[in-house]
Amino acid sequence: EDEFHQGKLKAVINFRVHSGDTVLEEHLASCGRNATYISKTSQNDLLQCMGDVIRDAIVKNIKSSHYYAILADEVSDVSGWEQLGVAIRYVQNGRAHEKL
């Protein structure tokens, strides 16, 4: 597959293999084609799981804090594309934390 069009995950995997990761190289060479877990569906599922774990940890920390604030800011570029940034600040164990 053309390196330019392979996607970031596959590029990182190829980099690891070319850098001498023999365990990864052996896995990719010997596993079934449906067991590589590098499809876009697997990538999206993994990203969703990571996001769920991170969100749940942040929510747990916020619920246990006495003070928190939610900040939101919208920005548009010259083409009219709008993006909303949301940050949460909270105090836990006397220390301020901020999550984007």
Side-chain angles (χ1 to χ4, degrees):
E1 190 171 359
D2 180 355
E3 282 188 35
F4 183 76
H5 294 99
Q6 67 184 348
K8 290 180 179 25
L9 178 65
K10 289 183 182 178
V12 169
I13 289 171
N14 286 335
F15 172 76
R16 295 286 307 160
V17 169
H18 291 119
S19 297
D21 189 335
T22 56
V23 173
L24 179 59
E25 184 177 22
E26 185 179 318
H27 166 70
L28 293 173
S30 64
C31 70
R33 191 174 166 142
N34 63 342
T36 60
Y37 301 103
I38 59 174
S39 70
K40 66 179 180 179
T41 302
S42 293
Q43 291 177 51
N44 289 339
D45 289 347
L46 180 59
L47 288 170
Q48 182 66 50
C49 287
M50 291 188 301
D52 292 346
V53 168
I54 292 168
R55 184 194 61 241
D56 292 347
I58 292 171
V59 168
K60 180 181 173 187
N61 289 338
I62 292 169
K63 286 183 174 182
S64 69
S65 68
H66 293 290
Y67 307 103
Y68 69 91
I70 300 172
L71 299 93
D73 189 23
E74 182 268 334
V75 63
S76 301
D77 64 16
V78 293
S79 69
W81 183 266
E82 297 177 355
Q83 293 187 15
L84 177 66
V86 178
I88 299 174
R89 289 184 181 168
Y90 60 95
V91 177
Q92 187 177 40
N93 299 325
R95 290 184 50 205
H97 299 271
E98 184 172 283
K99 305 294 181 189
L100 301 175

